[in-house]
Amino acid sequence: MAFGRQRVSRTPLDRDQLMEYALKSLGARMQSVRDLRRKLIDRAEPGPSGAEAVDWVLAKLQELRYLSDDRFAADFTRLRQENRSFGRRRVQQDLQAKGIASEVIQTTLDEAYEGVDEQALVRQHLERRRIPPPTDEKSTARVLRRLTAAGFSSKAIFAVLRSLKSGEQALDRAEADASDDLA
């Protein structure tokens, strides 16, 4: 007994059907050229005629400006930065996984992270993910791992962790002073 879905053999699509499939796919979600190529190859006729049809569809979509790795990289970077509060390194890795050229990645990241305060982005990430300030070494290591996985530089991470630690010490002192005043 197999666990998982069995592959249903589909009838291969011709050039016009591939174009319609690509337009629907792009209408549902933005994609890189490599991701869309993979989808189209799965649906195209096997052999050189299918590869030729896929190349034609991709060229036509780029000509119509429906498909562009530059725009994809810019939008993807902006969304990852604003909505997910990810650091530069994480966005770079995600774009590489999507098959974007390294020159495009570099220029896109330079533009997107030009005026960004990385420490503020780290704090925003901590707030959005509701990560509590570390209280001991174990929780500090956990927060450090999460922030590293989110793509932040170690310099920014340590600066924020130091400020959180000093903020806790100041808070502890203020609470101690307040309890002394009450007694």
Side-chain angles (χ1 to χ4, degrees):
M1 175 179 190
F3 293 102
R5 294 175 49 178
Q6 293 180 347
R7 284 195 74 129
V8 178
S9 61
R10 302 180 189 140
T11 57
L13 303 178
D14 65 4
R15 190 172 79 176
D16 294 334
Q17 292 169 328
L18 277 176
M19 178 61 110
E20 186 176 325
Y21 176 74
L23 288 171
K24 284 182 183 177
S25 183
L26 285 173
R29 187 175 65 109
M30 64 179 181
Q31 297 174 38
S32 66
V33 174
R34 188 194 73 181
D35 288 346
L36 188 59
R37 178 182 298 277
R38 286 181 177 171
K39 278 186 172 183
L40 293 177
I41 286 173
D42 286 345
R43 300 297 304 264
E45 299 174 3
S49 64
E52 188 177 300
V54 168
D55 290 339
W56 180 86
V57 168
L58 291 174
K60 190 69 172 173
L61 289 172
Q62 288 174 339
E63 177 186 320
L64 295 171
R65 298 179 38 95
Y66 292 156
L67 185 64
S68 168
D69 274 350
D70 294 336
R71 277 198 327 262
F72 173 80
D75 290 344
F76 186 85
T77 300
R78 181 182 52 80
L79 291 172
R80 295 293 243 184
Q81 182 184 19
E82 292 174 2
N83 297 342
R84 305 289 294 273
S85 302
F86 280 151
R88 181 184 178 108
R89 191 174 338 121
R90 171 69 182 266
V91 175
Q92 178 182 5
Q93 291 169 348
D94 291 345
L95 286 171
Q96 287 172 341
K98 296 283 186 187
I100 306 298
S102 59
E103 302 86 33
V104 174
I105 293 173
Q106 195 61 41
T107 57
T108 301
L109 291 176
D110 288 344
E111 291 172 7
Y113 285 91
E114 184 178 346
V116 174
D117 179 18
E118 191 174 16
Q119 290 181 19
L121 199 58
V122 169
R123 290 179 191 284
Q124 183 181 10
H125 184 79
L126 289 171
E127 289 174 19
R128 282 205 173 158
R129 299 288 177 194
R130 295 189 175 117
I131 300 172
T135 56
D136 57 355
E137 288 183 21
K138 187 175 181 179
S139 62
T140 302
R142 184 179 306 123
V143 170
L144 180 66
R145 281 192 306 271
R146 289 189 67 180
L147 291 174
T148 301
F152 298 108
S153 70
S154 57
K155 181 180 176 183
I157 293 171
F158 288 126
V160 169
L161 289 178
R162 260 189 245 110
S163 71
L164 289 175
K165 193 71 168 170
S166 66
E168 280 181 12
Q169 290 171 352
L171 184 62
D172 291 343
R173 273 188 249 118
E175 287 176 359
D177 292 342
S179 64
D180 288 342
D181 291 339
L182 294 175

